[in-house]
Amino acid sequence: MNNSPKDGLDRRQFLSKLGGGALAISAALAACKPGKQTARSAATGNGEMTYRVNPKTGDKVSLLGYGAMRWPRLPKPGGKGNDGEIDQETVNALVDYAIEHGVNYFDTSPRYCEGMSEKALGIALSRHPRNKFFISTKMSNQTAQSREESIAMYHRSMELLKVDYFDYYLVHAVGAYDVYKARFLDNGVLDFMLQERAAGRIRNLGWSFHGKKEFFDYMMFESGVKWDFVLIQLNYFDWDVTQAQSRSNVDAHYQYDVLAKLKVPALIMEPLLGGRLASPNHVAQTLMKQANPDASFASWAFRFAGSFPDVLTVLSGMTYMEHLQDNLRTYSPLVPLTDKEQQMLVQVAKTMLDFKNINCTNCQYCMPCPYGINIPGLFAHYNKCLNEGNFPSQAQDQNYRKARQTFLVGLDRSVPKLRQANHCIGCGKCVPACPQGIAIPQEMQKIDQFVEQLKRNG
Amino acid sequence: METNHEESISPQGMSRKKFLWIGALFAFTATVKASKVDGGLAVIENKKAPKRATPIVPPGALSHRNFSKHCTGCQLCVSACPNQVLRPSPGLVSLLQPEMSYERGYCRPECTRCSHVCPAGAIRPITRAEKSATQIGHAVWVKENCVVTRDGVHCGNCARHCPVGAIQMVPSDAKNERSPKFPVIDPERCIGCGACENLCPSRPSSAIYVEGNQMHRIV
């Protein structure tokens, strides 16, 4: 066999032939052993990405949307943490890989990643043709609310994202009428956005929601705006059980039903609750592994969100390539949940209530705390120890000493002493910023008292 | 997906779009500091040690006099202290003899390590119960440093962390129950452990600090 270029077959052709051959062989092998092929064996799923169609524009949107809230970060100069500049090379690689495997929806905001997210996404996407992706960003005028500041923010987003129109543009994180009125009605910013939509520079106008039912109803039925889509928080934990938790947010079931009835596409955020559904408590883990030992914990959450037919895309803030690959596997293509699997996830959600986790999704909206506390870091450590069974509750317990050690040592490793709960003075500045309605100062005092008790019982 | 919008040229020769854009850019740069972004950690300033009239020495030392008479400056207690409280003193007379300060930590109620490693009798062995009843110093409040005065916020972090309940919070405005509260110290209950000083949010100088007792008292 002679495959040299001289014989009319260049390197590229050779490689593609070789690749095709390998593909044929592996396909044949797979066919020989039906049922042995697991979802994990393929890097990114066995087929094509599932797409959904936007009824207004006909956009064919990938079911997996890329959220730009959790980009990988480099350490600060001389530091060890991941709190420095955005790791642009890795972002480029992630975006390239996502586009290559069918992802075409990218969502960001001027506030994400300490305000660096839009720029990073703009750089990564500018290396691709504009018609290969849909871009989504937000009017995040929570603190700078004047008309001028808001419009400047809008233009700045265009500049950073290197685009001259937005496919999707959102009223960012509203949940109460008085806040909405101050940010969008009194200053004429909503009118501005409607004009931009009429001019075609906003192709779809929507809003993202964390809040009470009354306000959701107002926006859907009384606001006088025809919204093209709504971004809601939906996952198997928030679907129904939220009512049991004195949470400030209305359950996802209600929101989805209203949107489906009005034929307004639902976009999904927090399908994984900031990764919490990817590392659930050990009781939940057993339930999921019994149902399917090969499926990742995260895949259940993505299948849950994707199984609703009126969901346009499910956003995931993927920091790592492995997470991106896992999610691509889940949605290439989506296998909708069976009734039995749905019921299993209801059980999983119930175990989460028993474990009394703090409902933090690590969105960082509360940060930076003026007193230097690492709020999401402390909540993450607390939840992690709860879920892994390293929660020393009774000094008489058999594993108390080990659990105490794990909790305290891990605490100092994950959060420096000066950023721990005992430095929270309860000023309450973080409370209105939390989309999950967590009573942060009270939770901080709870953790503080818990730590103090552990230290004293040494 | 392409969108085209016409640019109308103004009489001055600058397009309307360009004009608005420059205006917007100007407005943005003027207000860029005001718009909050998510994430990040506030810089925490290091604490500065207050000037203490009497140095603080550990429970078990009985008195400053007893401590300085017996201490050989061997540094065993300094290396045994898990809370970074004990350190060699800078003074000439007491050179290398340790003293306590609360910028990096405080004298935790469950710890009696220094008293068990001292080979010279400068810090006598002590139990946890005895420690909790030994007054090595007393807290002093500095009103002008207190965040209640300075920033007008509610705090009470000192009172919340006092292991002996020696700090009470009282309304700063006697006529208004809901006004931010000031700490009031009961020196008869204070043991001088420094929890209040270490956890005070005021930086670089704490608004509450411990003054050493010449002679330790048992309560």
mmCIF file of all heavy atoms in Angstrom, chain A residues 296-340:
data_model
loop_
_atom_site.group_PDB
_atom_site.id
_atom_site.type_symbol
_atom_site.label_atom_id
_atom_site.label_comp_id
_atom_site.label_asym_id
_atom_site.label_seq_id
_atom_site.Cartn_x
_atom_site.Cartn_y
_atom_site.Cartn_z
ATOM 1 N N SER A 296 -23.470 10.166 35.072
ATOM 2 C CA SER A 296 -22.894 11.094 36.057
ATOM 3 C C SER A 296 -24.030 11.760 36.824
ATOM 4 O O SER A 296 -25.168 11.822 36.349
ATOM 5 C CB SER A 296 -22.053 12.148 35.349
ATOM 6 O OG SER A 296 -22.885 13.035 34.628
ATOM 7 N N PHE A 297 -23.706 12.266 38.027
ATOM 8 C CA PHE A 297 -24.743 12.939 38.821
ATOM 9 C C PHE A 297 -25.279 14.151 38.068
ATOM 10 O O PHE A 297 -26.473 14.420 38.059
ATOM 11 C CB PHE A 297 -24.178 13.357 40.180
ATOM 12 C CG PHE A 297 -23.675 12.204 40.999
ATOM 13 C CD1 PHE A 297 -22.391 12.195 41.515
ATOM 14 C CD2 PHE A 297 -24.492 11.106 41.237
ATOM 15 C CE1 PHE A 297 -21.923 11.124 42.255
ATOM 16 C CE2 PHE A 297 -24.036 10.022 41.976
ATOM 17 C CZ PHE A 297 -22.744 10.029 42.483
ATOM 18 N N ALA A 298 -24.370 14.868 37.418
ATOM 19 C CA ALA A 298 -24.796 16.073 36.701
ATOM 20 C C ALA A 298 -25.746 15.721 35.561
ATOM 21 O O ALA A 298 -26.690 16.472 35.272
ATOM 22 C CB ALA A 298 -23.577 16.814 36.161
ATOM 23 N N SER A 299 -25.528 14.562 34.914
ATOM 24 C CA SER A 299 -26.350 14.238 33.743
ATOM 25 C C SER A 299 -27.829 14.127 34.101
ATOM 26 O O SER A 299 -28.701 14.466 33.298
ATOM 27 C CB SER A 299 -25.860 12.944 33.088
ATOM 28 O OG SER A 299 -26.163 11.834 33.914
ATOM 29 N N TRP A 300 -28.126 13.691 35.322
ATOM 30 C CA TRP A 300 -29.536 13.612 35.743
ATOM 31 C C TRP A 300 -30.156 15.005 35.756
ATOM 32 O O TRP A 300 -31.285 15.198 35.311
ATOM 33 C CB TRP A 300 -29.640 12.992 37.141
ATOM 34 C CG TRP A 300 -29.333 11.533 37.172
ATOM 35 C CD1 TRP A 300 -28.209 10.941 37.656
ATOM 36 C CD2 TRP A 300 -30.168 10.476 36.682
ATOM 37 N NE1 TRP A 300 -28.279 9.582 37.507
ATOM 38 C CE2 TRP A 300 -29.466 9.259 36.918
ATOM 39 C CE3 TRP A 300 -31.422 10.422 36.077
ATOM 40 C CZ2 TRP A 300 -29.989 8.014 36.563
ATOM 41 C CZ3 TRP A 300 -31.933 9.186 35.730
ATOM 42 C CH2 TRP A 300 -31.224 7.992 35.968
ATOM 43 N N ALA A 301 -29.406 15.945 36.268
ATOM 44 C CA ALA A 301 -29.934 17.312 36.365
ATOM 45 C C ALA A 301 -30.154 17.898 34.970
ATOM 46 O O ALA A 301 -31.159 18.578 34.723
ATOM 47 C CB ALA A 301 -28.966 18.181 37.156
ATOM 48 N N PHE A 302 -29.232 17.625 34.047
ATOM 49 C CA PHE A 302 -29.396 18.168 32.694
ATOM 50 C C PHE A 302 -30.526 17.471 31.945
ATOM 51 O O PHE A 302 -31.275 18.119 31.203
ATOM 52 C CB PHE A 302 -28.070 18.100 31.925
ATOM 53 C CG PHE A 302 -27.144 19.202 32.338
ATOM 54 C CD1 PHE A 302 -26.168 18.986 33.295
ATOM 55 C CD2 PHE A 302 -27.291 20.477 31.811
ATOM 56 C CE1 PHE A 302 -25.351 20.020 33.721
ATOM 57 C CE2 PHE A 302 -26.473 21.510 32.220
ATOM 58 C CZ PHE A 302 -25.496 21.282 33.180
ATOM 59 N N ARG A 303 -30.656 16.166 32.151
ATOM 60 C CA ARG A 303 -31.776 15.491 31.489
ATOM 61 C C ARG A 303 -33.095 16.004 32.039
ATOM 62 O O ARG A 303 -34.072 16.170 31.311
ATOM 63 C CB ARG A 303 -31.659 13.978 31.682
ATOM 64 C CG ARG A 303 -30.581 13.356 30.802
ATOM 65 C CD ARG A 303 -30.488 11.869 31.031
ATOM 66 N NE ARG A 303 -31.716 11.173 30.668
ATOM 67 C CZ ARG A 303 -32.090 10.010 31.207
ATOM 68 N NH1 ARG A 303 -31.340 9.416 32.113
ATOM 69 N NH2 ARG A 303 -33.204 9.441 30.813
ATOM 70 N N PHE A 304 -33.135 16.281 33.350
ATOM 71 C CA PHE A 304 -34.370 16.808 33.942
ATOM 72 C C PHE A 304 -34.750 18.120 33.264
ATOM 73 O O PHE A 304 -35.871 18.287 32.776
ATOM 74 C CB PHE A 304 -34.185 17.018 35.444
ATOM 75 C CG PHE A 304 -35.414 17.552 36.129
ATOM 76 C CD1 PHE A 304 -36.397 16.691 36.590
ATOM 77 C CD2 PHE A 304 -35.607 18.926 36.273
ATOM 78 C CE1 PHE A 304 -37.551 17.179 37.196
ATOM 79 C CE2 PHE A 304 -36.752 19.424 36.875
ATOM 80 C CZ PHE A 304 -37.730 18.539 37.334
ATOM 81 N N ALA A 305 -33.795 19.051 33.206
ATOM 82 C CA ALA A 305 -34.112 20.376 32.641
ATOM 83 C C ALA A 305 -34.436 20.268 31.148
ATOM 84 O O ALA A 305 -35.338 20.951 30.652
ATOM 85 C CB ALA A 305 -32.938 21.329 32.865
ATOM 86 N N GLY A 306 -33.726 19.412 30.434
ATOM 87 C CA GLY A 306 -33.917 19.331 28.996
ATOM 88 C C GLY A 306 -35.172 18.587 28.578
ATOM 89 O O GLY A 306 -35.636 18.724 27.438
ATOM 90 N N SER A 307 -35.734 17.805 29.483
ATOM 91 C CA SER A 307 -36.902 16.994 29.116
ATOM 92 C C SER A 307 -38.170 17.814 28.906
ATOM 93 O O SER A 307 -39.144 17.312 28.365
ATOM 94 C CB SER A 307 -37.158 15.925 30.187
ATOM 95 O OG SER A 307 -36.118 14.969 30.155
ATOM 96 N N PHE A 308 -38.172 19.049 29.357
ATOM 97 C CA PHE A 308 -39.359 19.896 29.136
ATOM 98 C C PHE A 308 -39.326 20.442 27.716
ATOM 99 O O PHE A 308 -38.370 21.119 27.327
ATOM 100 C CB PHE A 308 -39.389 21.035 30.155
ATOM 101 C CG PHE A 308 -39.513 20.554 31.561
ATOM 102 C CD1 PHE A 308 -38.395 20.424 32.365
ATOM 103 C CD2 PHE A 308 -40.752 20.188 32.071
ATOM 104 C CE1 PHE A 308 -38.494 19.945 33.669
ATOM 105 C CE2 PHE A 308 -40.867 19.712 33.371
ATOM 106 C CZ PHE A 308 -39.737 19.590 34.162
ATOM 107 N N PRO A 309 -40.365 20.172 26.921
ATOM 108 C CA PRO A 309 -40.296 20.488 25.493
ATOM 109 C C PRO A 309 -40.240 21.983 25.182
ATOM 110 O O PRO A 309 -39.709 22.360 24.136
ATOM 111 C CB PRO A 309 -41.580 19.869 24.932
ATOM 112 C CG PRO A 309 -42.487 19.702 26.105
ATOM 113 C CD PRO A 309 -41.613 19.484 27.293
ATOM 114 N N ASP A 310 -40.750 22.834 26.062
ATOM 115 C CA ASP A 310 -40.736 24.261 25.753
ATOM 116 C C ASP A 310 -39.503 24.986 26.289
ATOM 117 O O ASP A 310 -39.467 26.217 26.334
ATOM 118 C CB ASP A 310 -42.012 24.928 26.266
ATOM 119 C CG ASP A 310 -43.214 24.470 25.455
ATOM 120 O OD1 ASP A 310 -43.215 24.689 24.236
ATOM 121 O OD2 ASP A 310 -44.132 23.850 26.035
ATOM 122 N N VAL A 311 -38.519 24.203 26.701
ATOM 123 C CA VAL A 311 -37.241 24.794 27.103
ATOM 124 C C VAL A 311 -36.407 25.000 25.844
ATOM 125 O O VAL A 311 -36.230 24.080 25.054
ATOM 126 C CB VAL A 311 -36.520 23.875 28.107
ATOM 127 C CG1 VAL A 311 -35.046 24.249 28.222
ATOM 128 C CG2 VAL A 311 -37.194 23.960 29.471
ATOM 129 N N LEU A 312 -35.906 26.212 25.680
ATOM 130 C CA LEU A 312 -35.126 26.516 24.476
ATOM 131 C C LEU A 312 -33.670 26.096 24.651
ATOM 132 O O LEU A 312 -33.079 25.469 23.784
ATOM 133 C CB LEU A 312 -35.206 28.014 24.172
ATOM 134 C CG LEU A 312 -34.615 28.477 22.842
ATOM 135 C CD1 LEU A 312 -35.349 27.856 21.670
ATOM 136 C CD2 LEU A 312 -34.652 29.998 22.743
ATOM 137 N N THR A 313 -33.096 26.465 25.793
ATOM 138 C CA THR A 313 -31.723 26.042 26.058
ATOM 139 C C THR A 313 -31.494 25.998 27.557
ATOM 140 O O THR A 313 -32.171 26.680 28.324
ATOM 141 C CB THR A 313 -30.698 26.975 25.355
ATOM 142 O OG1 THR A 313 -29.388 26.447 25.559
ATOM 143 C CG2 THR A 313 -30.734 28.387 25.897
ATOM 144 N N VAL A 314 -30.540 25.175 27.962
ATOM 145 C CA VAL A 314 -30.200 25.009 29.372
ATOM 146 C C VAL A 314 -28.783 25.542 29.560
ATOM 147 O O VAL A 314 -27.832 25.018 28.979
ATOM 148 C CB VAL A 314 -30.272 23.521 29.781
ATOM 149 C CG1 VAL A 314 -29.893 23.354 31.247
ATOM 150 C CG2 VAL A 314 -31.649 22.953 29.506
ATOM 151 N N LEU A 315 -28.659 26.600 30.349
ATOM 152 C CA LEU A 315 -27.347 27.236 30.499
ATOM 153 C C LEU A 315 -26.534 26.544 31.580
ATOM 154 O O LEU A 315 -27.046 26.240 32.651
ATOM 155 C CB LEU A 315 -27.521 28.710 30.879
ATOM 156 C CG LEU A 315 -28.270 29.577 29.879
ATOM 157 C CD1 LEU A 315 -28.379 31.000 30.407
ATOM 158 C CD2 LEU A 315 -27.560 29.564 28.544
ATOM 159 N N SER A 316 -25.275 26.339 31.276
ATOM 160 C CA SER A 316 -24.396 25.757 32.278
ATOM 161 C C SER A 316 -23.080 26.527 32.269
ATOM 162 O O SER A 316 -22.482 26.717 31.217
ATOM 163 C CB SER A 316 -24.156 24.281 31.952
ATOM 164 O OG SER A 316 -23.202 23.744 32.835
ATOM 165 N N GLY A 317 -22.656 26.973 33.443
ATOM 166 C CA GLY A 317 -21.398 27.713 33.557
ATOM 167 C C GLY A 317 -20.246 26.741 33.706
ATOM 168 O O GLY A 317 -19.841 26.404 34.803
ATOM 169 N N MET A 318 -19.726 26.270 32.570
ATOM 170 C CA MET A 318 -18.758 25.180 32.611
ATOM 171 C C MET A 318 -17.336 25.733 32.706
ATOM 172 O O MET A 318 -16.842 26.390 31.800
ATOM 173 C CB MET A 318 -18.929 24.300 31.375
ATOM 174 C CG MET A 318 -20.291 23.601 31.390
ATOM 175 S SD MET A 318 -20.833 22.938 29.810
ATOM 176 C CE MET A 318 -21.326 24.400 28.911
ATOM 177 N N THR A 319 -16.676 25.452 33.835
ATOM 178 C CA THR A 319 -15.323 25.936 34.072
ATOM 179 C C THR A 319 -14.295 24.981 33.475
ATOM 180 O O THR A 319 -13.240 25.400 33.036
ATOM 181 C CB THR A 319 -15.077 26.054 35.586
ATOM 182 O OG1 THR A 319 -16.199 26.700 36.177
ATOM 183 C CG2 THR A 319 -13.830 26.861 35.888
ATOM 184 N N TYR A 320 -14.628 23.704 33.474
ATOM 185 C CA TYR A 320 -13.652 22.686 33.090
ATOM 186 C C TYR A 320 -14.104 21.924 31.850
ATOM 187 O O TYR A 320 -15.302 21.689 31.643
ATOM 188 C CB TYR A 320 -13.434 21.700 34.243
ATOM 189 C CG TYR A 320 -12.992 22.378 35.498
ATOM 190 C CD1 TYR A 320 -13.865 22.539 36.574
ATOM 191 C CD2 TYR A 320 -11.711 22.904 35.603
ATOM 192 C CE1 TYR A 320 -13.470 23.188 37.730
ATOM 193 C CE2 TYR A 320 -11.303 23.554 36.749
ATOM 194 C CZ TYR A 320 -12.180 23.696 37.814
ATOM 195 O OH TYR A 320 -11.787 24.347 38.944
ATOM 196 N N MET A 321 -13.125 21.508 31.038
ATOM 197 C CA MET A 321 -13.396 20.733 29.839
ATOM 198 C C MET A 321 -14.177 19.455 30.159
ATOM 199 O O MET A 321 -15.079 19.065 29.423
ATOM 200 C CB MET A 321 -12.064 20.389 29.156
ATOM 201 C CG MET A 321 -12.194 19.681 27.850
ATOM 202 S SD MET A 321 -13.082 20.632 26.597
ATOM 203 C CE MET A 321 -11.742 21.551 25.838
ATOM 204 N N GLU A 322 -13.863 18.830 31.287
ATOM 205 C CA GLU A 322 -14.539 17.577 31.638
ATOM 206 C C GLU A 322 -16.030 17.810 31.847
ATOM 207 O O GLU A 322 -16.856 16.968 31.490
ATOM 208 C CB GLU A 322 -13.916 16.973 32.910
ATOM 209 C CG GLU A 322 -12.494 16.460 32.733
ATOM 210 C CD GLU A 322 -11.454 17.575 32.640
ATOM 211 O OE1 GLU A 322 -11.766 18.732 33.001
ATOM 212 O OE2 GLU A 322 -10.325 17.299 32.183
ATOM 213 N N HIS A 323 -16.357 18.972 32.423
ATOM 214 C CA HIS A 323 -17.783 19.275 32.623
ATOM 215 C C HIS A 323 -18.473 19.504 31.280
ATOM 216 O O HIS A 323 -19.598 19.048 31.051
ATOM 217 C CB HIS A 323 -17.945 20.516 33.510
ATOM 218 C CG HIS A 323 -17.422 20.319 34.889
ATOM 219 N ND1 HIS A 323 -17.226 21.353 35.762
ATOM 220 C CD2 HIS A 323 -17.036 19.200 35.535
ATOM 221 C CE1 HIS A 323 -16.745 20.879 36.902
ATOM 222 N NE2 HIS A 323 -16.620 19.580 36.785
ATOM 223 N N LEU A 324 -17.782 20.223 30.412
ATOM 224 C CA LEU A 324 -18.335 20.483 29.077
ATOM 225 C C LEU A 324 -18.579 19.161 28.354
ATOM 226 O O LEU A 324 -19.644 18.934 27.771
ATOM 227 C CB LEU A 324 -17.376 21.380 28.300
ATOM 228 C CG LEU A 324 -17.656 21.615 26.814
ATOM 229 C CD1 LEU A 324 -19.029 22.241 26.614
ATOM 230 C CD2 LEU A 324 -16.587 22.516 26.193
ATOM 231 N N GLN A 325 -17.593 18.273 28.410
ATOM 232 C CA GLN A 325 -17.733 16.988 27.724
ATOM 233 C C GLN A 325 -18.884 16.166 28.305
ATOM 234 O O GLN A 325 -19.662 15.561 27.574
ATOM 235 C CB GLN A 325 -16.416 16.204 27.812
ATOM 236 C CG GLN A 325 -15.331 16.815 26.941
ATOM 237 C CD GLN A 325 -13.974 16.175 27.151
ATOM 238 O OE1 GLN A 325 -13.719 15.564 28.188
ATOM 239 N NE2 GLN A 325 -13.095 16.307 26.168
ATOM 240 N N ASP A 326 -18.976 16.172 29.618
ATOM 241 C CA ASP A 326 -20.054 15.412 30.259
ATOM 242 C C ASP A 326 -21.417 15.942 29.804
ATOM 243 O O ASP A 326 -22.325 15.175 29.476
ATOM 244 C CB ASP A 326 -19.906 15.516 31.784
ATOM 245 C CG ASP A 326 -20.892 14.608 32.514
ATOM 246 O OD1 ASP A 326 -21.209 13.530 31.969
ATOM 247 O OD2 ASP A 326 -21.339 14.974 33.617
ATOM 248 N N ASN A 327 -21.549 17.273 29.779
ATOM 249 C CA ASN A 327 -22.831 17.857 29.376
ATOM 250 C C ASN A 327 -23.115 17.626 27.896
ATOM 251 O O ASN A 327 -24.275 17.431 27.501
ATOM 252 C CB ASN A 327 -22.852 19.353 29.690
ATOM 253 C CG ASN A 327 -22.766 19.615 31.181
ATOM 254 O OD1 ASN A 327 -22.961 18.702 31.974
ATOM 255 N ND2 ASN A 327 -22.475 20.848 31.560
ATOM 256 N N LEU A 328 -22.071 17.654 27.072
ATOM 257 C CA LEU A 328 -22.269 17.366 25.646
ATOM 258 C C LEU A 328 -22.773 15.928 25.471
ATOM 259 O O LEU A 328 -23.691 15.671 24.695
ATOM 260 C CB LEU A 328 -20.954 17.553 24.882
ATOM 261 C CG LEU A 328 -20.511 19.006 24.654
ATOM 262 C CD1 LEU A 328 -19.082 19.055 24.149
ATOM 263 C CD2 LEU A 328 -21.442 19.716 23.669
ATOM 264 N N ARG A 329 -22.193 15.025 26.258
ATOM 265 C CA ARG A 329 -22.654 13.629 26.216
ATOM 266 C C ARG A 329 -24.137 13.546 26.536
ATOM 267 O O ARG A 329 -24.886 12.840 25.877
ATOM 268 C CB ARG A 329 -21.886 12.796 27.250
ATOM 269 C CG ARG A 329 -20.642 12.122 26.732
ATOM 270 C CD ARG A 329 -20.209 11.023 27.688
ATOM 271 N NE ARG A 329 -19.790 11.532 28.993
ATOM 272 C CZ ARG A 329 -18.557 11.974 29.249
ATOM 273 N NH1 ARG A 329 -17.646 11.958 28.309
ATOM 274 N NH2 ARG A 329 -18.234 12.416 30.448
ATOM 275 N N THR A 330 -24.538 14.293 27.562
ATOM 276 C CA THR A 330 -25.936 14.201 28.005
ATOM 277 C C THR A 330 -26.905 14.700 26.935
ATOM 278 O O THR A 330 -28.006 14.171 26.796
ATOM 279 C CB THR A 330 -26.124 15.026 29.288
ATOM 280 O OG1 THR A 330 -25.129 14.628 30.229
ATOM 281 C CG2 THR A 330 -27.499 14.819 29.889
ATOM 282 N N TYR A 331 -26.501 15.697 26.183
ATOM 283 C CA TYR A 331 -27.435 16.314 25.224
ATOM 284 C C TYR A 331 -27.156 15.939 23.771
ATOM 285 O O TYR A 331 -27.723 16.539 22.863
ATOM 286 C CB TYR A 331 -27.374 17.838 25.368
ATOM 287 C CG TYR A 331 -28.163 18.372 26.543
ATOM 288 C CD1 TYR A 331 -27.943 19.670 27.021
ATOM 289 C CD2 TYR A 331 -29.154 17.611 27.166
ATOM 290 C CE1 TYR A 331 -28.663 20.178 28.081
ATOM 291 C CE2 TYR A 331 -29.872 18.109 28.235
ATOM 292 C CZ TYR A 331 -29.619 19.396 28.691
ATOM 293 O OH TYR A 331 -30.346 19.902 29.742
ATOM 294 N N SER A 332 -26.279 14.965 23.542
ATOM 295 C CA SER A 332 -25.980 14.589 22.153
ATOM 296 C C SER A 332 -26.340 13.130 21.898
ATOM 297 O O SER A 332 -25.474 12.294 21.810
ATOM 298 C CB SER A 332 -24.497 14.821 21.850
ATOM 299 O OG SER A 332 -24.134 16.134 22.103
ATOM 300 N N PRO A 333 -27.577 12.802 21.700
ATOM 301 C CA PRO A 333 -28.728 13.672 21.885
ATOM 302 C C PRO A 333 -29.314 13.502 23.290
ATOM 303 O O PRO A 333 -28.904 12.616 24.021
ATOM 304 C CB PRO A 333 -29.708 13.118 20.846
ATOM 305 C CG PRO A 333 -29.407 11.650 20.829
ATOM 306 C CD PRO A 333 -27.940 11.497 21.147
ATOM 307 N N LEU A 334 -30.288 14.353 23.618
ATOM 308 C CA LEU A 334 -31.010 14.237 24.884
ATOM 309 C C LEU A 334 -31.852 12.966 24.882
ATOM 310 O O LEU A 334 -32.562 12.694 23.919
ATOM 311 C CB LEU A 334 -31.933 15.440 25.064
ATOM 312 C CG LEU A 334 -33.035 15.266 26.130
ATOM 313 C CD1 LEU A 334 -32.454 15.483 27.519
ATOM 314 C CD2 LEU A 334 -34.198 16.205 25.900
ATOM 315 N N VAL A 335 -31.769 12.220 25.967
ATOM 316 C CA VAL A 335 -32.705 11.114 26.180
ATOM 317 C C VAL A 335 -33.655 11.559 27.284
ATOM 318 O O VAL A 335 -33.245 11.677 28.436
ATOM 319 C CB VAL A 335 -31.949 9.834 26.607
ATOM 320 C CG1 VAL A 335 -32.933 8.693 26.804
ATOM 321 C CG2 VAL A 335 -30.878 9.494 25.596
ATOM 322 N N PRO A 336 -34.907 11.876 26.923
ATOM 323 C CA PRO A 336 -35.808 12.418 27.957
ATOM 324 C C PRO A 336 -35.992 11.443 29.109
ATOM 325 O O PRO A 336 -35.886 10.228 28.939
ATOM 326 C CB PRO A 336 -37.123 12.639 27.206
ATOM 327 C CG PRO A 336 -36.740 12.702 25.763
ATOM 328 C CD PRO A 336 -35.555 11.810 25.611
ATOM 329 N N LEU A 337 -36.265 11.993 30.292
ATOM 330 C CA LEU A 337 -36.451 11.171 31.478
ATOM 331 C C LEU A 337 -37.718 10.335 31.362
ATOM 332 O O LEU A 337 -38.724 10.804 30.830
ATOM 333 C CB LEU A 337 -36.584 12.057 32.723
ATOM 334 C CG LEU A 337 -35.366 12.800 33.247
ATOM 335 C CD1 LEU A 337 -35.775 13.648 34.444
ATOM 336 C CD2 LEU A 337 -34.262 11.831 33.651
ATOM 337 N N THR A 338 -37.674 9.117 31.874
ATOM 338 C CA THR A 338 -38.901 8.324 31.976
ATOM 339 C C THR A 338 -39.626 8.733 33.257
ATOM 340 O O THR A 338 -39.039 9.393 34.128
ATOM 341 C CB THR A 338 -38.563 6.833 32.054
ATOM 342 O OG1 THR A 338 -37.820 6.618 33.265
ATOM 343 C CG2 THR A 338 -37.740 6.388 30.859
ATOM 344 N N ASP A 339 -40.881 8.313 33.382
ATOM 345 C CA ASP A 339 -41.648 8.632 34.595
ATOM 346 C C ASP A 339 -40.948 8.083 35.833
ATOM 347 O O ASP A 339 -40.898 8.730 36.887
ATOM 348 C CB ASP A 339 -43.061 8.050 34.499
ATOM 349 C CG ASP A 339 -43.904 8.843 33.510
ATOM 350 O OD1 ASP A 339 -43.440 9.925 33.085
ATOM 351 O OD2 ASP A 339 -45.004 8.372 33.149
ATOM 352 N N LYS A 340 -40.408 6.881 35.682
ATOM 353 C CA LYS A 340 -39.751 6.240 36.813
ATOM 354 C C LYS A 340 -38.527 7.057 37.254
ATOM 355 O O LYS A 340 -38.283 7.251 38.449
ATOM 356 C CB LYS A 340 -39.332 4.821 36.409
ATOM 357 C CG LYS A 340 -39.181 3.888 37.577
ATOM 358 C CD LYS A 340 -38.893 2.472 37.105
ATOM 359 C CE LYS A 340 -38.004 1.789 38.130
ATOM 360 N NZ LYS A 340 -37.100 0.811 37.547
#
